[in-house]
Amino acid sequence: MRYIIIGAGAIGATIGGRLAESGTESVLVARGPHAAALRANGLRLTTADGTRVHRLPVAEGPADLGELRPDDVLVLAVKTQDAVTALDTWAAAEVAGGGTAAQRLPVVCTQNGVEAERLALRRFDRVYGVCVWLPSSFLEPGAVEALCAPLTGMLHVGRYPSGTDVTAGRIAEDLAKAGFEAPVVEDVMRWKYGKLLHNVANAIQATTGPEPHPAKALLAARAVAEARAAFAAAGIPVVTDAEQSAARDGKIVPPPGVRGGSSWQSLRRGTGTVEADYLNGEISLLGRLHGVPTPVNDTLRHAANIFAREGLPPGAMSIADLTVLADEAVTRR
């Protein structure tokens, strides 16, 4: 199979680069200065094993590849706020032998949150979810870091909305060859909802900085408590903390030091958008649908979006000020 990585950022480029190292064909899809850097200098991928440069094919869209191949796998690795544009672009691409990508090819969703799979299933016949545990950084064109060891990351793979099949197994085998642990699971969304409990804190890190602080942990715990209440009201099953620890402990160990996560990186790169609508916003949506108050998540979503729209630098807000805003939102309920 050939993997077309739609969105060669921190996650996409790490997966594409690692696949290439293991001898699996992959193509990086990128735009602007990042695409130019990848074409001119290759992908500079730094992992716990060191830095390597990969000279992979680079495309900006389906037209750069001509007809897609029947053995292609589309890996959707853009942020969720960019998913509709990417899905529409690639769904209509023609596949050799007839038909479109939406009709004939699998699309694999690697986003944080749980919305990308739903967006994909509106367009594609075959959709797969991946729960991504892959701490990585993308801060400059052409360069990505993924420094965990002994494994680069863990990628639970399954059909959406549930189940497994031969394709899921083949994808998992290729990922395992590339240095990831890739369990095939019947209930991939249960894992993704569990990951979302961690991701609701992304907005705290983005707005107040990645450095640990007791007040940040307390605010994050309040956001998680709202999320758990919303999941319970909606009847959504979630993996337990014990299941997650058993799966990851000792396998994905980050290096010493503090690094910013995906939302912090979006602000650092000045992308103008952030994924809070699909992280904290997912909790807000469930709360409104099922009568569960979510003022902390409402506040975090709002604050992160202001930072993105106004181009504010990550970490420019104090945790004290952010907590005051959350407290005020609670009082207004």
Side-chain angles (χ1 to χ4, degrees), residues 318-332:
S318 72
I319 184 58
D321 286 345
L322 185 59
T323 301
V324 166
L325 291 177
D327 291 342
E328 291 175 347
V330 171
T331 301
R332 288 195 300 270

Side-chain angles (χ1 to χ4, degrees), residues 37-59:
L38 291 171
R39 286 193 176 110
N41 305 311
L43 168 65
R44 192 167 78 252
L45 176 62
T46 301
T47 67
D49 302 325
T51 299
R52 282 88 61 208
V53 175
H54 300 288
R55 300 280 181 175
L56 301 178
V58 178

Side-chain angles (χ1 to χ4, degrees), residues 156-250:
H156 286 76
V157 181
R159 282 292 298 261
Y160 178 78
S162 62
T164 65
D165 61 13
V166 172
T167 299
R170 292 184 62 192
I171 291 169
E173 289 175 5
D174 287 340
L175 292 172
K177 270 197 318 182
F180 302 100
E181 182 147 331
V184 179
V185 293
E186 295 271 353
D187 54 354
V188 69
M189 298 312 292
R190 190 171 71 97
W191 287 88
K192 295 199 75 164
Y193 276 104
K195 173 78 181 302
L196 181 55
L197 290 173
H198 296 261
N199 290 140
V200 294
N202 285 21
I204 300 173
Q205 187 186 76
T207 54
T208 69
E211 300 78 12
H213 189 283
K216 295 180 185 181
L218 180 59
L219 190 59
R222 292 169 63 185
V224 169
E226 290 181 357
R228 289 191 183 279
F231 292 165
I236 294 172
V238 184
V239 294
T240 65
D241 292 340
E243 286 178 283
Q244 295 184 65
S245 294
R248 294 194 315 274
D249 284 357

